[in-house]
């Protein structure tokens, strides 16, 4: 065949070695072909040989008939239109496979990048939608696979008689297409396998995600209910009041205990659910275990708090019963005095009987008279309120006076029994004369009452007239103001007395232990390495003793009759109390020395000489206990000094001592930070410190499926300074004392002038965000409760506001400096101009 256009290299895919030209049979066509070929033969002749053929049979001389189609005299079975249709089908199938791969990739990317919802109904909805889309894609993959298999079937050549050789040649031609389709089918199968594997993992993670949210919802609900019960239990913390009030609190506690049982069962069920999730290899295993431990911890706290409260209320109730019996003993003693009339004891037998009654009463009243508040507190393990202490002292004084009168009567009755003379008539004192130090805080009961003495068969009838006598004395009870004065004086007396005891204890420790470490006679009992550890073991206890003995104790004693001076007494010396921070910071080192050498003979010998029941470590703890005790006593004193002279200064003194305690506590945590390069004191004053759960967030992108590990929080201890916020990790250390004195590993530090906060995080009102710079680093911080969160946010806002104000002042100063500099430069320029003019004039 010939072409009217000259051949070019772009027209043929390979190299040409020979050109066969089949000339047409008709004269006219042959003429046109010859002419056309004549003009273009130079292109062929210059590059390759050309053979002119007159007929189809001549073509067979050069080409095998198996390579030619029937219209060219060959035997090759070929239909060009069918080839075009089949070729289009193959290309369309390849395009379909490519589009399917893109759809699967797009679906997988969407699953990985789509932001996950944070509520259970939305999670369940998105799970259903994704499952439906998965099944639709699976149907599409099945349809594509079916289409490919049909194409493969159509490529198979039928095995018919007389066409074996043609089939072989055809097979060679279609083998390339068959391999192409087969390769595409293999690709579809691989995609389907990978997609199924991805979906299985994704579906498992999404189901676990939903399970985690349900578990978290149950957990948060239980925590809320447990905290509610704990708050109800905390409302019963005040164990003071009357015996009826204590009984009412015991009843409320029993109801609270019943409600807690159902809640504890729910907690146990949630814990078992968490264990089941963990056993199924849930991806948030650490978080689930942490939540289970928190539930156990809260459950134990609830059980222990209710149990402790029940014991405390029970002991308080017993103490009130004892106090009630003591009051009854007073009543019976007074009535016994009132009923011992002179005409009843005319004979010796009557005198002996009266004498026996008195002895029986004194024997019964003796335990109540000898009771001390500290003994009661130790026996019943109850913190006695000042009101109860005053009541006890009042009753004891009253019983003591009754006993004194009875002892005088005993002497008279003994003389009467011995000599049978008319006894001297004793005057029964009125209730107001029985107690000279104060009026009792109890009221007598009106009406007739009978008391039976257990040791004898004596019956004493308390007549109505006697009760009227006693009730007349009640009208002289103290008013509310006097009662507060009594309580205030009681607290003040306790403050001064305990201060004296504290100073005396410090002195005995310094003299009996510290000084003995320099005594050569004791060196044999002391390990050599201990001799140089005196300053570490006792810290600055000597400095504390000198301050209290020389200054503070005398100042407190001057306040004995002037409670309004207590506030100034503390405020004037608040800076001196900073020495306790040094002592507390040294305490961990001191305890290390003590644990190492506590069993040595030196300490045992010193304890024996001092006749101390407690070992040295108990006395080394006294300064820590004392600095904590001050704020408690000041609170009590302020409670009974409202609207009194000096109450404002007393409130300032209390605030100063609370600030001191916070400062000491913060310093104990700061010295436990390890790994910080630099001086922490350069960060300014420590404002707050505390433990938080922390997640790393990425503000510039949404939460992704691949970030599901965010459910596992980091436990971080945050230190807020005036100039920076420091993130640390609390180190878990073993050994004695590790719980009291923590240790922290420094992680990183953010300057406050580049810190920002987001106060509310969706899903939990305990969370807030702290971000750095342009929000390239975001931390989601969860506090233990809302109050802690709000306190931290308030302090951070104050710091940021102060920094903004300082920045504004700094900018204003810079502007003022620039303005002054410009004025100065203008002035210089004007002077130069004047000088230039002067020179020119000259």
């Amino acid at each position: 065949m010939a072409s009217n256009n000259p051949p070019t290299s772009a027209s043929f895919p390979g190299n040409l070695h020979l050109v066969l030209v089949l000339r047409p049979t008709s004269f006219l066509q042959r003429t046109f072909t010859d002419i056309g070929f004549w003009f273009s033969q130079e292109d062929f002749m210059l590059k390759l040989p050309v053979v002119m053929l007159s007929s189809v049979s001549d073509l067979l001389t050069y080409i095998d008939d198996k390579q030619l189609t029937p219209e060219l005299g060959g035997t090759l079975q070929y239909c060009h239109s069918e080839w075009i249709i089949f070729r289009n089908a193959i290309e369309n199938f390849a395009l379909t496979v490519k589009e399917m791969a893109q759809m699967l990739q797009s679906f997988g990317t969407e699953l990985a990048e789509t932001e996950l919802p944070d509520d259970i109904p939305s999670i369940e909805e998105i799970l259903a939608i994704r499952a439906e889309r998965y099944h639709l894609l699976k149907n599409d993959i099945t349809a594509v696979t079916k289409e490919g298999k049909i194409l493969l079937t159509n490529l198979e050549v039928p095995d018919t008689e007389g066409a074996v050789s043609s089939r072989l040649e055809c097979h060679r031609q279609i083998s390339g297409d068959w391999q192409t389709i087969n390769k595409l089918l293999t690709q579809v199968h691989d995609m389907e396998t990978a997609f199924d594997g991805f979906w299985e993992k994704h579906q498992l993670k999404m189901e676990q995600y939903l399970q985690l949210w349900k578990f978290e919802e149950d957990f948060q609900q239980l925590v809320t209910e447990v905290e509610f019960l704990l708050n109800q239990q905390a409302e019963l913390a005040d164990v003071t009041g009357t015996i009826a009030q204590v009984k009412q609190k015991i009843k409320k506690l029993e109801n609270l205990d019943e409600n807690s049982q159902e809640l504890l069962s729910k907690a146990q069920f949630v814990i078992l659910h968490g264990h089941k999730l963990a056993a199924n290899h849930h991806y948030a295993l650490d978080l689930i275990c942490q939540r289970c431990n928190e539930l156990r911890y809260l459950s134990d706290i609830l059980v222990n708090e209710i149990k402790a409260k029940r014991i405390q209320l029970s002991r308080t109730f017993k103490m009130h019963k004892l106090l009630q019996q003591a009051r009854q003993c007073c009543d019976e003693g007074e009535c016994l005095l009132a009923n011992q009339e002179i005409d009843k004891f005319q004979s010796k037998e009557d005198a002996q009987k009266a004498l026996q009654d008195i002895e029986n009463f004194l024997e019964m009243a003796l335990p109540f008279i000898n009771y001390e508040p500290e003994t009661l507190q130790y026996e019943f393990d109850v913190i006695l309120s000042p009101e109860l202490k005053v009541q006890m002292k009042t009753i004891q004084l009253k019983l003591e006076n009754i006993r004194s009168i009875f002892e005088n009567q005993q002497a008279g009755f003994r003389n009467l029994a011995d000599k049978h003379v008319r006894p001297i008539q004793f005057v029964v004192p009125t209730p107001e004369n029985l107690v000279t130090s104060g009026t009792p805080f109890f009221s007598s009961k009106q009406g007739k009452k009978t008391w039976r003495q257990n040791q004898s068969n004596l019956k004493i009838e308390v007549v109505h007239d006697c009760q009227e006598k006693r009730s007349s004395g009640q009208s002289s009870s103290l008013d509310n103001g006097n009662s507060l004065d009594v309580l205030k004086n009681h607290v003040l007396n306790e403050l001064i007395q305990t201060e004296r005891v504290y100073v005396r204890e410090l002195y005995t420790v310094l003299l009996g232990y510290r000084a003995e470490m320099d005594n050569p006679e004791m060196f044999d009992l002391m390990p050599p390495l201990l001799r140089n550890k005196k300053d570490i073991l006792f810290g600055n206890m000597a400095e504390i003793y000198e301050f209290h003995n020389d200054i503070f104790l005398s100042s407190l004693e001057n306040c004995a009759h002037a409670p309004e001076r207590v506030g100034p007494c503390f405020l004037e010396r608040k800076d001196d109390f900073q020495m306790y921070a040094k002592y507390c910071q040294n305490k961990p080192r001191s305890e290390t020395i003590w644990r190492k050498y506590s069993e040595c003979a030196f300490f045992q010998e010193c304890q024996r000489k001092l006749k101390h029941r407690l070992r040295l470590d108990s006395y080394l703890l006294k300064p820590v206990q004392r600095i904590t005790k001050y704020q408690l006593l000041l609170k009590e004193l302020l409670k009974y000094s409202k609207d009194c002279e000096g109450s404002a200064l007393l409130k300032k003194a209390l605030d100063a001592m609370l600030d001191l305690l916070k400062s000491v506590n913060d310093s104990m945590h700061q010295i436990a930070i390890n790994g910080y390069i630099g001086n922490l004191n350069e960060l300014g004053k420590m404002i707050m410190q505390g433990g938080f759960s922390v997640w790393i967030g990425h503000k510039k992108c949404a939460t992704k499926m691949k970030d599901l590990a965010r459910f596992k929080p980091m436990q971080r201890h945050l230190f807020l300074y005036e100039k920076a916020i420091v993130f640390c990790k609390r180190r878990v250390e073993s050994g004695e004392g590790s719980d009291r004195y923590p240790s922290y590993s420094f992680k990183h530090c953010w300057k406050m002038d580049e810190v920002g906060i987001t106060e509310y995080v969706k899903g939990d009102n305990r969370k807030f965000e702290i971000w750095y710079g342009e929000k390239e680093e975001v931390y989601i911080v969860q506090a233990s409760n809302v109050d802690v969160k709000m306190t931290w946010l308030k302090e951070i806002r104050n710091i940021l506001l102060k920094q903004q104000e300082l920045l504004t002042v700094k900018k204003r100063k810079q502007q003022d400096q620039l303005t002054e500099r410009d004025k100065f430069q203008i002035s210089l320029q004007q002077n130069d101009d004047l000088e230039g003019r002067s020179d020119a004039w000259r």
Side-chain angles (χ1 to χ4, degrees):
M1 296 181 65
S3 174
N4 293 328
N5 298 320
T8 60
S9 59
S11 304
F12 301 96
N15 295 326
L16 297 177
H17 300 282
L18 178 64
V19 177
L20 300 176
V21 180
L22 184 61
R23 302 174 67 193
T25 54
S26 65
F27 175 77
L28 185 60
Q29 288 181 346
R30 181 177 296 184
T31 301
F32 283 124
T33 301
D34 290 343
I35 294 172
F37 187 74
W38 177 264
F39 286 105
S40 60
Q41 65 177 341
E42 292 181 1
D43 295 334
F44 289 103
M45 297 300 291
L46 291 174
K47 297 178 181 177
L48 45 89
V50 177
V51 178
M52 305 296 293
L53 301 177
S54 301
S55 63
V56 174
S57 59
D58 293 340
L59 186 62
L60 296 176
T61 307
Y62 295 93
I63 301 175
D64 193 308
D65 60 348
K66 295 178 182 178
Q67 301 296 325
L68 296 173
T69 56
E71 61 267 24
L72 295 177
T75 60
L76 179 62
Q77 299 296 323
Y78 170 75
C79 179
H80 189 62
S81 60
E82 290 180 0
W83 182 86
I84 292 175
I85 294 171
F86 197 74
R87 192 66 198 172
N88 286 336
I90 294 175
E91 291 177 358
N92 290 336
F93 177 68
L95 182 61
T96 302
V97 172
K98 181 179 179 181
E99 291 176 349
M100 177 57 64
Q102 291 175 348
M103 290 172 61
L104 295 180
Q105 184 178 5
S106 175
F107 183 60
T109 303
E110 180 183 347
L111 295 184
E113 299 294 331
T114 302
E115 183 177 0
L116 295 172
D118 54 3
D119 61 284
I120 293 176
S122 299
I123 297 172
E124 292 175 340
E125 181 181 358
I126 200 172
L127 275 175
I129 293 173
R130 290 181 176 182
E132 183 179 358
R133 291 187 60 188
Y134 166 74
H135 291 300
L136 291 176
L137 287 172
K138 282 288 291 182
N139 293 336
D140 292 342
I141 293 174
T142 303
V144 171
T145 304
K146 184 177 180 180
E147 181 182 350
K149 291 181 178 179
I150 292 174
L151 287 175
L152 278 182
T153 304
N154 291 335
L155 283 174
E156 295 180 359
V157 179
D159 189 9
T160 58
E161 295 182 1
V164 176
S165 59
S166 296
R167 183 176 178 276
L168 291 173
E169 293 300 327
C170 183
H171 180 73
R172 292 193 190 98
Q173 293 179 9
I174 66 176
S175 61
D177 294 335
W178 188 91
Q179 291 177 358
T180 300
I181 296 174
N182 190 54
K183 187 182 294 184
L184 290 172
L185 280 174
T186 303
Q187 182 181 348
V188 171
H189 180 267
D190 292 341
M191 285 193 304
E192 183 178 14
T193 303
F195 179 62
D196 287 341
F198 168 77
W199 173 257
E200 183 179 352
K201 293 179 181 178
H202 168 79
Q203 186 72 0
L204 175 62
K205 186 143 290 189
M206 286 299 294
E207 288 175 355
Q208 290 182 345
Y209 180 77
L210 179 60
Q211 292 169 351
L212 184 62
W213 271 104
K214 290 181 177 179
F215 176 78
E216 183 74 10
E217 186 179 66
D218 294 340
F219 169 79
Q220 294 297 342
Q221 182 179 356
L222 275 174
V223 168
T224 302
E225 294 180 6
V226 171
E227 289 177 348
F228 177 73
L229 288 184
L230 285 174
N231 290 334
Q232 285 187 320
Q233 178 273 143
E235 293 175 357
L236 304 175
D238 186 11
V239 296
T240 59
T242 64
I243 189 170
Q245 291 172 333
V246 174
K247 289 174 72 174
Q248 184 66 24
K249 289 178 181 179
I250 292 175
K251 185 177 180 180
K252 289 182 179 179
L253 187 66
E254 293 301 326
N255 295 333
L256 193 66
D257 190 18
E258 292 179 5
N259 296 334
S260 69
Q261 296 305 316
E262 182 180 356
L263 188 59
L264 292 173
S265 300
K266 291 181 181 178
Q268 190 62 30
F269 178 78
V270 173
I271 291 173
L272 292 175
H273 182 210
H275 288 171
K276 183 178 179 181
L277 293 178
N280 291 332
H281 307 289
H282 197 285
Y283 70 86
L285 176 64
D286 292 340
L287 176 65
I288 292 172
C289 292
Q290 177 186 340
R291 291 294 194 237
C292 291
N293 291 335
E294 288 180 17
L295 274 183
R296 288 195 194 93
Y297 176 70
L298 284 175
S299 299
D300 291 342
I301 287 180
L302 182 61
V303 171
N304 293 334
E305 288 292 334
I306 292 177
K307 181 180 179 181
K309 191 65 64 182
R310 183 186 292 110
I311 294 174
Q312 189 179 25
L313 287 174
S314 175
R315 289 175 175 173
T316 306
F317 181 74
K318 291 179 181 178
M319 186 186 66
H320 276 283
K321 291 286 288 184
L322 182 64
L323 194 60
Q324 191 179 51
Q325 292 172 3
R327 289 196 188 100
Q328 185 178 355
C329 185
C330 287
D331 297 343
E332 291 160 355
E334 291 178 1
C335 293
L336 181 61
L337 285 172
N339 286 330
Q340 286 184 340
E341 299 176 0
I342 189 62
D343 53 357
K344 290 185 179 180
F345 309 111
Q346 300 300 323
S347 65
K348 180 178 180 180
E349 290 76 12
D350 291 338
Q352 289 177 344
K353 182 175 178 56
L355 185 63
Q356 183 63 40
D357 291 343
I358 293 174
E359 289 176 353
N360 291 337
F361 174 79
L362 292 177
E363 183 180 354
M364 180 193 69
L366 188 61
F368 301 114
I369 297 173
N370 294 334
Y371 260 123
E372 291 292 334
E374 291 75 12
T375 305
L376 278 176
Q377 182 172 325
Y378 177 78
E379 180 177 347
F380 291 101
D381 193 22
V382 174
I383 303 299
L384 298 180
S385 65
E387 293 91 340
L388 284 176
K389 289 182 180 179
V390 170
Q391 291 183 43
M392 291 175 59
K393 287 291 185 183
T394 302
I395 294 173
Q396 285 178 308
L397 288 172
K398 195 170 184 178
L399 285 172
E400 183 66 32
N401 289 331
I402 293 175
R403 183 180 70 170
S404 177
I405 294 172
F406 274 143
E407 287 176 349
N408 291 332
Q409 281 188 334
Q410 276 182 313
F413 284 133
R414 287 193 182 97
N415 292 332
L416 180 63
D418 293 338
K419 300 180 180 180
H420 188 55
V421 297
R422 185 178 182 86
I424 300 173
Q425 183 176 0
F426 293 96
V427 179
V428 180
T430 61
E432 53 268 24
N433 292 329
L434 284 173
V435 182
T436 59
S437 62
T439 304
F441 279 77
F442 63 92
S443 61
S444 60
K445 295 182 180 180
Q446 303 294 332
K448 190 173 181 179
K449 180 178 181 182
T450 303
W451 170 73
R452 182 178 298 273
Q453 175 44 266
N454 293 330
Q455 285 83 1
S456 67
N457 295 325
L458 178 65
K459 293 183 179 179
I460 303 175
E461 296 295 329
V462 184
V463 295
H464 188 72
D465 292 338
C466 174
Q467 292 293 338
E468 289 180 349
K469 280 184 182 180
R470 293 173 57 248
S471 63
S472 64
Q474 300 301 321
S475 60
S476 62
S477 62
L478 294 176
D479 59 15
N480 187 47
N482 292 334
S483 300
L484 290 177
D485 289 339
V486 171
L487 296 173
K488 181 167 59 177
N489 291 329
H490 179 79
V491 176
L492 181 57
N493 182 62
E494 182 179 355
L495 174 62
I496 297 173
Q497 293 299 330
T498 53
E499 183 72 14
R500 290 170 179 160
V501 173
Y502 174 57
V503 172
R504 186 166 61 250
E505 288 176 338
L506 293 182
Y507 176 74
T508 58
V509 170
L510 292 172
L511 186 65
Y513 285 97
R514 192 176 188 275
E516 287 297 297
M517 293 183 73
D518 297 325
N519 184 1
E521 296 179 0
M522 300 289 285
F523 284 174
D524 292 340
L525 303 177
M526 194 186 316
L529 294 177
L530 179 61
R531 296 176 187 175
N532 298 325
K533 304 295 184 182
K534 178 176 62 176
D535 292 335
I536 299 177
L537 182 62
F538 295 94
N540 62 330
M541 181 182 282
E543 180 187 10
I544 294 174
Y545 167 73
E546 291 174 359
F547 164 67
H548 285 270
N549 185 62
D550 300 342
I551 300 174
F552 193 63
L553 176 58
S554 58
S555 299
L556 279 180
E557 289 174 338
N558 291 334
C559 303
H561 301 291
E564 66 275 4
R565 298 179 187 172
V566 174
C569 177
F570 277 88
L571 290 173
E572 290 169 3
R573 296 160 184 83
K574 67 177 183 179
D575 293 336
D576 295 322
F577 282 102
Q578 292 296 329
M579 65 180 67
Y580 278 90
K582 181 179 178 182
Y583 186 84
C584 293
Q585 290 171 7
N586 179 69
K587 199 69 176 65
R589 300 172 63 203
S590 173
E591 290 191 2
T592 302
I593 298 297
W594 169 254
R595 287 195 298 270
K596 188 174 181 179
Y597 299 105
S598 59
E599 301 300 329
C600 74
F602 170 78
F603 292 123
Q604 296 176 1
E605 178 62 19
C606 290
Q607 182 178 351
R608 186 190 64 79
K609 287 182 179 181
L610 293 171
K611 298 180 181 179
H612 281 176
R613 291 189 303 106
L614 303 175
R615 300 198 304 173
L616 173 61
D617 58 327
S618 299
Y619 292 95
L620 293 177
L621 195 60
K622 293 291 182 180
V624 181
Q625 295 172 335
R626 188 59 184 171
I627 197 64
T628 307
K629 182 72 173 177
Y630 283 132
Q631 56 94 14
L632 296 175
L633 292 170
L634 289 175
K635 281 181 182 177
E636 287 293 320
L637 198 58
L638 183 62
K639 178 180 176 182
Y640 305 121
S641 303
K642 291 181 179 179
D643 302 326
C644 295
E645 182 184 356
S647 61
L649 293 177
L650 192 61
K651 177 66 169 62
K652 290 183 179 180
L654 173 60
D655 293 339
M657 296 309 295
L658 290 173
D659 290 341
L660 172 65
L661 287 178
K662 179 182 178 301
S663 175
V664 171
N665 184 53
D666 290 344
S667 68
M668 293 293 292
H669 286 274
Q670 177 172 306
I671 64 173
I673 298 177
N674 299 296
Y676 179 79
I677 300 176
N679 186 359
L680 287 169
N681 294 324
E682 295 177 356
L683 302 181
K685 179 183 176 182
M686 184 191 296
I687 308 299
M688 299 186 75
Q689 52 82 25
F692 294 88
S693 296
V694 178
W695 291 262
I696 297 177
H698 303 282
K699 193 66 180 179
K700 295 184 179 180
C701 60
T703 305
K704 312 267 189 326
M705 184 70 187
K706 59 188 177 184
D707 294 329
L708 281 175
R710 69 185 176 88
F711 282 108
K712 178 183 177 182
M714 301 177 293
Q715 299 304 315
R716 290 291 181 264
H717 204 91
L718 273 58
F719 295 83
L720 179 63
Y721 293 88
E722 290 177 320
K723 299 180 181 179
I725 183 168
V726 177
F727 291 77
C728 295
K729 179 180 180 181
R730 181 163 183 164
R731 295 194 301 192
V732 179
E733 296 184 353
S734 58
E736 187 178 352
S738 59
D739 294 336
R740 289 198 301 272
Y741 306 115
S743 179
Y744 304 101
S745 296
F746 170 77
K747 291 301 180 181
H748 55 271
C749 176
W750 287 354
K751 294 183 178 179
M752 290 303 295
D753 54 5
E754 298 187 45
V755 166
I757 56 173
T758 303
E759 298 190 8
Y760 296 100
V761 176
K762 187 177 180 182
D764 194 335
N765 58 0
R766 297 174 298 169
K767 291 181 181 179
F768 61 97
E769 284 184 351
I770 303 178
W771 40 270
Y772 189 71
E774 297 297 328
K775 295 188 178 180
E776 58 269 353
E777 290 187 71
V778 179
Y779 280 179
I780 301 172
V781 179
Q782 177 181 289
S784 57
N785 55 61
V786 178
D787 293 337
V788 173
K789 167 191 168 180
M790 300 310 295
T791 304
W792 272 75
L793 288 177
K794 178 183 176 183
E795 295 297 338
I796 293 175
R797 279 196 301 267
N798 290 339
I799 293 174
L800 297 180
L801 183 61
K802 289 179 182 178
Q803 288 186 342
Q804 186 65 32
E805 293 174 351
L806 291 174
L807 184 62
T808 303
V809 173
K810 184 177 180 181
K811 287 182 178 179
R812 187 180 296 115
K813 288 183 178 179
Q814 290 176 349
Q815 291 176 354
D816 293 342
Q817 290 175 357
L818 289 174
T819 303
E820 292 296 329
R821 189 180 305 164
D822 292 340
K823 289 181 179 179
F824 180 70
Q825 290 177 351
I826 292 172
S827 177
L828 287 177
Q829 187 175 359
Q830 291 175 349
N831 291 335
D832 291 341
D833 291 343
L834 289 174
E835 290 177 0
R837 291 174 186 173
S838 298
D839 293 340
W841 181 74
R842 290 193 187 116

